[in-house]
Amino acid sequence: MDPEQVDEFVMGYLKKKGFNSAAKHLQESLHNNNGSTFSSIDYHNDPELNKLIRSFSQSENDPSRYREGYSKLRSWGYNSLDLYKHELVRVMYPVFIHCYMDLVGKGHTQEARSFFNSFRKDHEMVHLRDLQKLGGVLAPSHLQEMEFARSLRQSKINIKICQYSYDLLLQYLHRTESTLMLGIINEHINFQVYSGQPNSASDDIEAVTIVGSFHETADHVNQKEIHWGLLEDSLEDRLEKTGGLLSDSEKGQGESKAGDMDDSKKRSAEIGKQGSSIKKLKKDKAGTATTKVARQETSTVLSSMPRVKPELAMPVMSTDVEESILEDLRNRVQLSSVAMPSVSFYTFVNTHNGLNSSSISHDGSLVAGGFSDSSIKVWDMAKIGQAGSCGLQDENNQTVGLNGRRNYTLLVGHSGPVYSATFSPPGDYVLSSSADTTIRLWSTKLNANLVCYKGHNHTVWDAQFSPFGHYFASCSHDRTARIWSMDRMQPLRMMAGHLSDVDCVQWHPNCNYIATGSSDKTVRLWDVQTGECVRIFIGHRSMVLSLAMSPDGRYMASGDEDGTIMMWDLSTARCITPLMGHNSCVWTLSYSGEGSLLASGSADCTVKLWDVSSSTKLTKAEEKNGNSNRLRSLRTFPTKSTPVHALRFSRRNLLFAAGAISKPSS
């Protein structure tokens, strides 16, 4: 082919593709050089021109280019030096999903499925749920119709990477002329390049984040002002003003200390081992001093917290309930990293995988379970103690008391599996939610259903009483959360904004806000008065299953399906630190009464205690240290093959836990 024909073909290609300006300039340039023109060429009917253009188009649309380009990039990344491998591998997942969606968008369905099935195993450990959703994208129209696929196409992914890893990636792409992979990376990935060596923390929660219109919305929402302080004239304030907490506790400590000293003197006189007695006295003095310091710090922290007015009309608390709470607060044990709580574990046996949820009353005297057969069962621990039984059994293998009657109360009314059953603060009501889309209120005194609340359109996953009772919040598969009061059949507020199921809900201690955790991997904070979202917390890599608020109302903990727990600062909406340790779903979280410890229960059959007071005092330099997360796990309590469904710190700081024993895998 002579040069004139090449020029003609290039001119024809430019005009056929609509690049008229480029074609005009090329024609002028050639005309000035040799005076030739292209007026004699038929750009639409010339067979050799069409053949050349067709070959260019086939090369551009060849689906095998995606498999070949990704396969080479993948091999290069996984064969890199270990120092840089974990950063380079982060690039693989966004490239993988956009290669797949590009193939689907161009109509190469068969090649797209083959590509997806060949490489999906690389990403299943971290992105299993996303891959399950992505597997439903089978046609070009799905890219616009499916919200998940549309959000991925419209967003970019931020990836933290060191300068040297970034240079290595660019050198590879240019050396291999991987223009297709380079185009995908350029269009869908933002690199946040930092100087120095690669970060050794493989669990850095901000290493890979998605940015786009949703994140811009989240940043705007998080600018709103919130008031996280405690309520004015709370019971803690009254007790602190009267000095009841300090005087009674210290008085009890003094009596205990004096008794210990007398006992130790008697023992030393009888046995004659003065050295051991002196050591014991020193330990007692050190323990007393530590407890005094912890109590003084707690008192100082509570008094310095801001106070807010309630946005809801608070119910009137009866005198008996108020006196009972004040008595519990006076006798509260101060916990810390050196003063661990006692743990009481309630085990359900013979449930045959039918237990969906469990709950423990605030004083630990009642335990409720929600079952797949649509029933709710409530056990009274006092009656079980009298009967001498050691387990909570279901109806088919029920525990029978001395009088021949079963030791639990059976509540029947739902027409679908029960997914939550929680007690009111005084323990006189049980609130249950079910797959039948309803919420039911039960009386533990009458053992009867009082009200059936209807409003949700799908399964109600969770329902929780407010800290003062009367009001409760619910969340559902219909992607909404709702605020209710016991005396109204219809919800007072509806919170909509999550992109998937709302799986858990939790009240703020001052009752002015509720938090919701969702399958869309976010946690949101809502104002109960206006129904507006005032915070969006982004960072989880899987669905959020549990929430807990610190007693002072400043911090929140959230647990997800992967076993990660995140501590959030409500005022800034930033994650203080992730708490790594569980290797399965975190189903329940609970703060101790003074907020120094966090207990977590997981499907990995353990209860863990975390020193969250030190977590909130870390400097930025300490937060970047990869080992700092693991140092905050104080203690792990393993169970005998019992996944932990529920945790509850009583007002006196005794930790209650509950779960159903399962057969160990062979």
Side-chain angles (χ1 to χ4, degrees), residues 533-655:
C533 178
V534 294
R535 287 289 183 273
I536 302 177
F537 304 91
I538 302 173
H540 281 286
R541 297 179 182 177
S542 59
M543 60 192 296
V544 182
L545 300 175
S546 55
L547 296 168
M549 292 283 184
S550 64
D552 61 9
R554 183 175 181 180
Y555 303 105
M556 176 179 66
S558 57
D560 65 22
E561 188 182 30
D562 292 339
T564 302
I565 303 168
M566 291 192 176
M567 283 275 298
W568 306 93
D569 187 328
L570 296 186
S571 58
T572 62
R574 293 190 62 83
C575 179
I576 300 171
T577 179
L579 304 175
M580 316 294 290
H582 289 293
N583 52 33
S584 189
C585 311
V586 179
W587 280 337
T588 178
L589 296 165
S590 181
Y591 274 95
S592 61
E594 73 291 324
S596 61
L597 300 183
L598 175 70
S600 60
S602 169
D604 63 9
C605 304
T606 63
V607 176
K608 287 183 179 290
L609 290 178
W610 309 85
D611 182 9
V612 294
S613 60
S614 62
S615 301
T616 58
K617 298 176 183 177
L618 289 176
T619 63
K620 291 184 178 180
E622 289 174 323
E623 286 181 13
K624 292 181 180 179
N625 185 358
N627 295 324
S628 62
N629 295 334
R630 297 173 180 82
L631 295 176
R632 297 187 195 99
S633 178
L634 297 176
R635 192 170 179 184
T636 300
F637 299 94
T639 65
K640 293 183 178 179
S641 188
T642 304
V644 184
H645 282 269
L647 289 172
R648 166 85 70 185
F649 270 104
S650 71
R651 296 188 185 95
R652 300 192 182 197
N653 268 345
L654 173 63
L655 179 59

Side-chain angles (χ1 to χ4, degrees), residues 446-465:
L446 302 176
N447 297 330
N449 181 221
L450 303 179
V451 190
C452 177
Y453 302 95
K454 298 179 180 180
H456 284 288
N457 301 321
H458 291 284
T459 301
V460 185
W461 295 121
D462 194 14
Q464 295 288 335
F465 271 107

Side-chain angles (χ1 to χ4, degrees), residues 108-176:
H108 304 300
T109 307
Q110 295 282 347
E111 293 82 356
R113 294 306 302 172
S114 175
F115 174 84
F116 185 78
N117 293 328
S118 298
F119 301 109
R120 66 173 296 171
K121 290 184 179 179
D122 295 342
H123 314 288
E124 282 184 343
M125 182 175 293
V126 179
H127 304 284
L128 179 59
R129 286 192 169 271
D130 286 351
L131 292 176
Q132 290 172 346
K133 295 178 182 178
L134 198 62
V137 180
L138 302 173
S141 60
H142 293 172
L143 296 174
Q144 294 299 324
E145 294 171 358
M146 295 180 64
E147 189 173 8
F148 176 72
R150 189 171 65 251
S151 65
L152 285 178
R153 298 295 272 181
Q154 295 173 353
S155 303
K156 278 196 171 187
I157 295 180
N158 273 346
I159 295 181
K160 280 186 177 180
I161 191 170
C162 76
Q163 183 67 53
Y164 198 81
S165 298
Y166 181 69
D167 292 340
L168 284 175
L169 178 62
L170 289 184
Q171 287 176 12
Y172 166 80
L173 294 172
H174 287 297
R175 186 180 71 252
T176 58

Side-chain angles (χ1 to χ4, degrees), residues 238-359:
R238 296 183 206 172
L239 197 63
E240 187 179 349
K241 289 176 182 177
T242 59
L245 179 61
L246 290 174
S247 61
D248 288 352
S249 300
E250 290 181 352
K251 181 180 178 181
Q253 275 193 353
E255 293 173 355
S256 175
K257 180 181 173 184
D260 290 343
M261 291 176 65
D262 292 340
D263 291 341
S264 63
K265 287 179 181 179
K266 290 178 181 178
R267 291 194 202 99
S268 62
E270 293 173 359
I271 303 174
K273 295 183 178 180
Q274 297 180 354
S276 61
S277 175
I278 294 172
K279 287 181 181 179
K280 186 178 185 304
L281 288 175
K282 287 182 178 179
K283 282 186 179 180
D284 290 341
K285 289 179 180 179
T288 303
T290 303
T291 309
K292 280 186 177 180
V293 171
R295 181 172 292 104
Q296 289 171 358
E297 287 182 354
T298 303
S299 177
T300 303
V301 168
L302 285 176
S303 60
S304 63
M305 290 297 168
R307 295 296 186 262
V308 298
K309 294 182 179 180
E311 295 182 357
L312 297 173
M314 289 291 103
V316 178
M317 189 178 298
S318 67
T319 305
D320 294 340
V321 172
E322 184 175 332
E323 289 179 354
S324 174
I325 295 175
L326 289 173
E327 182 65 22
D328 288 340
L329 294 178
R330 289 191 189 97
N331 291 281
R332 173 183 290 169
V333 178
Q334 297 298 317
L335 301 179
S336 66
S337 58
V338 296
M340 299 288 186
S342 299
V343 184
S344 177
F345 200 101
Y346 299 140
T347 304
F348 294 81
V349 297
N350 300 320
T351 60
H352 307 294
N353 295 322
L355 181 70
N356 294 328
S357 66
S358 60
S359 179

